[in-house]
Each structure stands twice: as structure tokens, then as C-alpha cells.
Amino acid sequence: MLRDLVPRGPGLPRRRSLASCLLLAASSSFTSPRPALAQPSPAAQPSAAARPSTAPSPPAPPPLEVVVTGTRTPESTQRATVRTRVVTREEAERRGATNVGEALDGELGVQVNPSSYGSLGNPSAIQIQGFDLQRVLVLEDGERVIGDSGGAIDLSSLPLGDVSRIELVTGPTSSLYGTSAIGGVVNVLSAPPAHPGGSARARLEGRSRAGILLQGSGAYRGESAWASADASFQRGDAVALDPDDPTTALPERSQRLIGLRAGASLGRGVELRLRGRWIHDAQDGIETRSFPATATGAPRRFVYDLPEVTDRLTVHLAETIDLGQGSSLRFAAGRQWALRTSDRRPRGSPERDLRDRSGVLQSFEAITTLAEGQRTWVAGARFEVETLEQRHKTTTVSQIDTAQGDTAEVPWTKLGSASLYGQLAWKLGDALTLMPGVRGELHLSHGGAVAPRLALAYRPAPAVTLRASGGQGFRAPSAKEIGFSFDHAYLGYVVIGNPSLVPETSWGVNADATLSPDDRITLRAGGFVNWVKDLIDISLDPIRSSDGVDTYEYVNIGRARTAGVETSATFRPASWLRAEVGYAYLWTRDDTNDQPLSSKPPHTVQASIRADLPWKLELVTRFRGIASTFVGVDEPTSPGGPRRALRARGFSTIDARLARPLWPSSQVYLGVRNVLDVQKEPSRSDDVQPDQRPLEGRTLYLGVTAELPWEDS
């Protein structure tokens, strides 16, 4: 069924890891009870040194990381009640990433592989715990992202230009975030300027495949206000797997971002923040269709141009009132527009097959955090109104005339929801934290849903952290699933929406243990199990047939289970060396069809090394191995015959990056993604032997980053 499925000490230099500054500052943009302008600067960190010639000294403790997504309250990653993984912008750049999708494709237990979604146009959709598409919630600064493609939020469409870090929470999280948080939550966070006065940052990068990336930001931070402007441009040539076929696996793409962020202290304990951003994404793909020879003509091949333009505009306003003693009140209002136009044009013909899609999301949220000794209460209310419309416009040419068509493929649909949620973090001593929570959400289209969660964290010793959580997730039917009308009568079928759909629901249990006997080694192990029912899919049998046309609709027909384990180890044997290794196992079952879920790799192995070498060189290498994956079953060759399981072959990738400072607060780097040049074969038919290896082969890149002020290096 889920087939689509600390202050600076005296005498220390002012240099400090930008990541830590941004982490602490950004946390307040989400739920921090205290304005960021009043927060002290974190502790400085010495610069990375080359390998010493004498015996290495013990490595310094890692900088403090503050996370907010798992509990909606700022916590350090080491003591967080719900494990929250963090990918900082600096780490994303070490991975050679230019967008959120590339930043997350190296996370253990997470899959971001466009080859798995060929039927949707190869978007960079994320899989967590065996769930994908609309069953993983994607947020930006705590606000839900709209503008999906076939249910998938394309993470490659989210650039890193104004990103401070990405937080990742796995498992059902609907008790805090509502619909779609079945597999987990991805929260892309920005941050205010880390330095007082003026500051700036720029990144210029060139890539093979005629790619170029240009990012820049400038900011000013005063005593009571700050402002930051962000801009980026990126382009890359198309990827065609077969040199004899112009069909593109990845389209030619250009993307522009313009953003403005600002904040001000309006009075004692009151802070206002504003964020506005526009992303323009233009793609140009090519498709070919071949027709065999007939008695009256030779074989023919038609070439179609596939232009697509997407505009995303976001405006978000938040006010935080510091009530003192760790308590706060926060109000947030936002509006998003997602506008997409996609066309299919036969070359040399005036015919067109165009789709215009427009979506708007308006939201308002109020959150209060009350600190009461060992107990911290969080209570909130959220209201959303989302509208969606998709029109299908056609131009057909015949020997007689030219005909124009304009139909509502998804009629203007309005969805509204209201929710109340609450959570208690109760510290039962220094070692144990208990955190119950619940959310009730009412939808205008299909009624309500209630999602409870209970989480606990236990630290029997400073080196040991044990966590466990259990809760419910749900996903409300989308506007497309409710009001869709996909008319392919000329091919013999029609797909329609169903306003009687009910939400998908799941139960999930997660547990993990972390052992850090000293600063040199960290060991982690965890596991999970999920049960989900009422999965929404297209009906297996037509609901009616007339004049040779079968009509199908979206229905609640599926049940599935997923389970898995993850283990990882991080070693810091010396101040100049860091190594990581991890393994993830995933088991899935589509209980409706009695088979595994499609395109969910069961085994993943990965390893990485980061080393500070002589001459101030930094080397980063990463390895990732993916096992053979079940994709589906073929049709029997004879009536009643056996059906053969179709599996995509496994593959391995290696990335490498070498960097060196140029002048204070700058760095030049050279890297290779997919060193082994593993790539999908163009001649392989997915009906015979599926191939889900990367669409993009070996990619070389060379770039430079620079920051101001220089004296902070």
C-alpha cells in the first residue's frame, strides 16, 4: 500500500563555532522562553589544529547543541527526553549538500533517493521508519510546508541559504504536530545573527554538469533589534541516462531565493520576529515516446518538452513574551502560497497539456510554556485553513480545427482544522524525566482525531541515557484525495476523490540507549515498531464501469507494520580525528497484500571519517551501502501462474571532501559526491529488473566560503 509510501571565558579568543551560536540562537525562534537578544554568547572554541607531532591530548568536549523539535522546549541533545538528531549547516556543507535533501541523505535510518519515486518525477522525498510521502511531516521554523508533488515534499527544492540547522525526530509525533507526523518530523530552522554589529556570509561553488551555486547573506544586530537578508541562486544541467535518448532523468534546473528576517525587542520580555521568503524554481525536462512501425508507416518517436515553474512565498510573524522563571507565551501567524505550472508540449506542435496548481495555507498558533519547579507545562492551540485548486488546460489540434480545454482536476477545495494540545515534562529527581502529552484535532472535512504520547528519559549515570516513547500518529486525507478528478477516459479509466475518507492512524513505540564512557567514544542503539491502519490508496477494483471506462476512487483499504533497529558508534581517538559507523535494519509488511512495502531498503550501512591534517587541511569521507530492495511483483506469465518478486539491486556510494582555510573566516574546498560513479542504467526496464541506484553519477565540485567579521576567527 505505501508504495508511493555558555558565556565566553576571560582571556579566550572570540572565535567560536558558528554552528553552536546558531543552534542556541535559533532555538528561541521556535519556543525559547527568552529572547535571543538577551542570551549570552556561547563559549568560544579553539580552531581546529593540525595533527600534533607528540602524543595527542584528550579531545575537548563537543559544543552544546540545543534542540526544540522533539518536545517544543529547548533542551540539550544529551539530555533531551525525545532523541532529536541535528544536521547543522556546516555539517551539511561537509557532506557536499546544497539543499535539505542532500543534507539528510547521509543520516542513518533515513532514505532520500529520488530513484524510488520515478512515477512522481523523481522528487527528493524522505523515508523514515518505512514511511514516506505525506506520512512524514516537513516543517520550516515549526510551520508545515505545502506544495507537494504526488504527496511528496521535494526536499531538493529547499535550499540551505538561510538554514541554521535541520532537526529530525523519528516515530509518531502527532501529539505535538498533528497530521502527517506518523513516520517522524523534519524541522528546517533558521536563526538570528550570531554576532553583534554587521556580519555577512557568502558561498560560491561550481559543479560538474554545468552547475553553479551562489549564496549570500548580510545581517546587522543591535542592542534591541536585528535584521538579515538572504539570497541564493543555483542551476544545473539536466541528466540524461542514455546518450542516444534525450529523455531526462533529472531536468535542467534553476532556483532563486530571496529572503528577509528581522527581530526586535518591543519592551521588557517581549520580542517580535518576522520572516518572509520567496523561492522561484524553474525546471525543463524532456520525455520521449516511441511507437512501433505499422503497415502504413515507419517507427516514430515523439519528443515532449516538460517545463515546470514553482513559486513558493512564505510570510511568518511571531511574538514571544517572557514571563520569567523559564515561562513564556508565544503567538505565531503565517501564510504560504505554493503555485506550480507544469506543461507537456510535443515539439513542433501547438498542442499543450498544462496543469495549474495553487495552494494556500493560513495558520495561527498560541503556545504557553509554564515552568513550575521540576515540572514544565506546554499547552497550545493551532488553527489552519488550507485551500487547493488544480486545473487541467489542453490544446488539441485536428485536421479540422484547434480545440481548447479547461477542466477542474481538483476543484477549489477548502480544508480547515483546529487543535488543542498539551504536554507535561516532569523531572522525578535528577535522573528521570516523564513526559505525557496529547493532542486533539478537529477537521472540517472528516471529523476529529486524538493522538496521545508518553515519553521518558532516564540517566542512571552521567555516561548513560535511556529513552523510550510510545504514541499515536495520524494523517488526514489531503485535498487531492478528497476532491481529485483525473480523467483518462481515452485510456479506459478515471480516478476520483472520496469525501468520505477517514484519517490514517498508527501506533508506534521507540526506544534507544546512549553510552558515553568518556569524550572519546559514544555508542548508541535503538529500535522501533509501528502499526498503521486505514491507509489511503486507490481502490483495487473499479467502483463503476460505463462505456468501457472504469472509475476508481481513493479509499481506506490498507494496513501495514514496520519495525527496525539502529546501532551506531562515534570515536574520537585524537583531537584531530573523528570516525563514525552505523547500521540500520528495517522490516516492513503490507498486511493487505501480504508482502513488504515497496522501495523500503531493509539494510543500510554507513561510515564516515573526519580528520584535521597537516597544513590546516580537513578531510571528510563518507561511505553508504544500501541492500537489495523489494519493489513489487510482476504479473504471472500464465493464468494462475506464480508471481515473481521484483527487487532493485543494492548499491554503495562514497563521498569525499578536502578543505583548507584561505584567510580568517574563509575556506576553499574540493569534493566529489558519488566517487564510484554508481548510476541507474538507462536500458534496464523496471518491469523486468528495477533499478533504484542514483540518477546522478559522479559529481565534482569546487567552492569557497567566507564570513565577516574576520576577527572572529
Side-chain angles (χ1 to χ4, degrees):
M1 305 308 310
L2 294 167
R3 61 181 182 264
D4 291 335
L5 226 170
V6 167
R8 183 175 74 247
L12 289 178
R14 291 185 58 196
R15 169 160 188 166
R16 107 141 236 89
S17 165
L18 178 62
S20 300
C21 290
L22 295 179
L23 285 169
L24 289 173
S27 64
S28 63
S29 72
F30 191 38
T31 55
S32 175
R34 184 169 302 176
L37 296 176
Q39 291 181 353
S41 301
Q45 298 293 326
S47 60
R51 176 167 40 176
S53 58
T54 60
S57 59
L64 177 68
E65 283 186 331
V66 176
V67 294
V68 296
T69 305
T71 63
R72 282 188 179 264
T73 55
E75 297 179 296
S76 71
T77 53
Q78 295 88 346
R79 302 189 66 93
T81 309
V82 176
R83 186 189 174 198
T84 304
R85 287 184 265 185
V86 177
V87 179
T88 64
R89 180 176 62 191
E90 287 73 21
E91 176 59 26
E93 291 177 354
R94 290 190 186 102
R95 298 177 181 182
T98 61
N99 56 65
V100 173
E102 293 177 344
L104 292 177
D105 67 6
E107 281 298 293
L108 186 65
V110 169
Q111 304 291 338
V112 182
N113 184 5
S115 283
S116 300
Y117 303 96
S119 62
L120 302 179
N122 301 309
S124 293
I126 189 171
Q127 297 179 11
I128 303 177
Q129 294 193 353
F131 298 103
D132 55 2
L133 304 180
Q134 296 176 87
R135 300 169 184 93
V136 174
L137 182 61
V138 179
L139 307 173
E140 286 184 315
D141 286 328
E143 291 293 317
R144 180 164 63 92
V145 176
I146 64 171
D148 63 278
S149 175
I153 296 296
D154 186 358
L155 298 182
S156 69
S157 68
L158 304 180
L160 295 174
D162 57 353
V163 173
S164 164
R165 72 192 191 275
I166 306 164
E167 295 187 359
L168 178 67
V169 178
T170 62
T173 323
S174 291
S175 64
L176 282 179
Y177 296 102
T179 182
S180 298
I182 291 179
V185 174
V186 176
N187 195 4
V188 183
L189 296 166
S190 62
H195 303 282
S199 59
R201 189 179 193 277
R203 179 183 179 186
L204 174 62
E205 181 177 301
R207 294 199 165 201
S208 55
R209 198 162 66 88
I212 186 172
L213 170 68
L214 178 60
Q215 295 176 347
S217 64
Y220 181 82
R221 178 172 175 172
E223 292 185 0
S224 61
W226 62 268
S228 178
D230 310 289
S232 70
F233 171 77
Q234 183 177 0
R235 77 162 306 277
D237 280 349
V239 172
L241 301 177
D242 188 345
D244 298 325
D245 187 344
T247 299
T248 57
L250 292 175
E252 179 182 322
R253 188 173 192 174
S254 65
Q255 184 182 78
R256 297 169 175 84
L257 176 149
I258 298 176
L260 176 65
R261 296 174 286 126
S265 293
L266 304 182
R268 184 174 181 179
V270 180
E271 184 187 10
L272 191 67
R273 293 199 179 183
L274 172 68
R275 182 187 185 190
R277 187 176 67 174
W278 169 67
I279 298 177
H280 177 80
D281 198 336
Q283 305 182 38
D284 287 290
I286 298 174
E287 177 185 82
T288 61
R289 295 186 64 183
S290 298
F291 297 88
T294 64
T296 59
R300 295 182 299 169
R301 183 173 75 174
F302 292 91
V303 179
Y304 299 84
D305 291 310
L306 308 175
E308 180 177 286
V309 176
T310 302
D311 287 285
R312 290 168 39 86
L313 180 63
T314 303
V315 179
H316 185 234
L317 179 66
E319 180 183 15
T320 302
I321 304 174
D322 185 0
L323 304 178
Q325 303 299 317
S327 300
S328 67
L329 183 62
R330 184 176 184 269
F331 302 96
R335 186 178 178 98
Q336 292 182 61
W337 295 262
L339 311 175
R340 178 182 297 138
T341 299
S342 57
D343 202 355
R344 188 171 183 268
R345 308 171 182 169
R347 287 190 178 176
S349 170
E351 291 189 349
R352 302 183 69 183
D353 187 6
L354 182 145
R355 285 177 169 84
D356 271 331
R357 177 173 178 169
S358 61
V360 180
L361 174 66
Q362 302 176 77
S363 64
F364 174 80
E365 189 165 20
I367 309 172
T368 181
T369 302
L370 299 176
E372 183 189 12
Q374 298 299 309
R375 296 182 293 272
T376 300
W377 304 81
V378 175
R382 182 175 177 87
F383 307 90
E384 286 188 359
V385 176
E386 182 178 4
T387 60
L388 178 68
E389 182 180 21
Q390 181 168 304
R391 305 199 65 83
H392 185 200
K393 303 176 182 180
T394 59
T395 301
T396 57
V397 179
S398 67
Q399 293 180 348
I400 301 176
D401 60 4
T402 299
Q404 306 286 340
D406 188 348
T407 60
E409 203 164 62
V410 179
W412 188 85
T413 304
K414 184 177 183 179
L415 302 177
S417 67
S419 61
L420 297 173
Y421 57 90
Q423 175 183 271
L424 169 62
W426 192 354
K427 295 184 180 297
L428 304 175
D430 294 333
L432 179 63
T433 301
L434 189 66
M435 183 175 288
V438 65
R439 182 185 184 109
E441 192 161 296
L442 179 64
H443 289 255
L444 298 179
S445 59
H446 52 75
V450 177
R453 182 178 73 167
L454 177 63
L456 61 89
Y458 180 53
R459 290 173 59 92
V464 179
T465 301
L466 307 175
R467 301 184 184 94
S469 65
Q472 188 174 35
F474 68 90
R475 182 182 78 84
S478 67
K480 176 181 176 180
E481 292 164 338
I482 292 174
F484 191 52
S485 178
F486 188 72
D487 190 351
H488 266 188
Y490 66 95
L491 294 177
Y493 72 94
V494 173
V495 180
I496 62 174
N498 182 358
S500 300
L501 293 170
V502 300
E504 302 176 348
T505 57
S506 74
W507 285 96
V509 177
N510 291 258
D512 69 88
T514 302
L515 173 63
S516 300
D518 56 39
D519 295 331
R520 299 175 184 271
I521 183 170
T522 300
L523 306 176
R524 289 192 179 96
F528 63 87
V529 60
N530 296 289
W531 301 263
V532 61
K533 65 177 183 178
D534 293 325
L535 292 171
I536 300 172
D537 209 335
I538 299 173
S539 54
L540 300 176
D541 300 312
I543 59 173
R544 60 178 175 269
S545 298
S546 177
D547 298 328
V549 178
D550 296 329
T551 299
Y552 300 83
E553 70 173 353
Y554 287 95
V555 292
N556 295 100
I557 58 173
R559 287 178 174 266
R561 292 168 289 160
T562 72
V565 295
E566 296 178 13
T567 61
S568 65
T570 302
F571 305 96
R572 305 175 188 88
S575 60
W576 57 272
L577 182 63
R578 174 189 174 99
E580 296 182 39
V581 62
Y583 166 75
Y585 169 72
L586 174 65
W587 175 88
T588 66
R589 198 67 186 172
D590 177 350
D591 290 325
T592 304
N593 296 312
D594 194 26
Q595 64 188 31
L597 296 176
S598 175
S599 301
K600 308 297 185 293
H603 304 281
T604 302
V605 178
Q606 65 182 46
S608 67
I609 294 177
R610 191 171 86 201
D612 292 323
L613 305 177
W615 301 293
K616 298 182 179 182
L617 293 172
E618 180 191 64
L619 174 65
V620 178
T621 60
R622 303 182 63 85
F623 166 83
R624 186 174 177 90
I626 306 295
S628 174
T629 305
F630 173 85
V631 175
V633 293
D634 63 357
E635 295 299 325
T637 56
S638 60
R643 304 178 70 184
R644 181 177 63 93
L646 299 176
R647 303 189 66 87
R649 63 185 294 183
F651 61 91
S652 300
T653 61
I654 296 177
D655 302 332
R657 182 180 184 267
L658 190 64
R660 188 189 188 283
L662 279 179
W663 59 80
S665 298
S666 69
Q667 186 183 72
V668 63
Y669 57 89
L670 171 67
V672 186
R673 287 177 61 89
N674 194 358
V675 174
L676 303 178
D677 198 25
V678 178
Q679 192 172 23
K680 183 174 182 177
E681 293 183 7
S683 59
R684 179 165 300 187
S685 171
D686 284 347
D687 296 331
V688 178
Q689 179 63 63
D691 191 347
Q692 294 187 350
R693 289 178 294 176
L695 296 172
E696 189 173 359
R698 184 186 299 114
T699 301
L700 308 177
Y701 59 92
L702 173 66
V704 61
T705 63
E707 298 181 23
L708 293 175
W710 287 357
E711 63 268 24
D712 283 348
S713 287

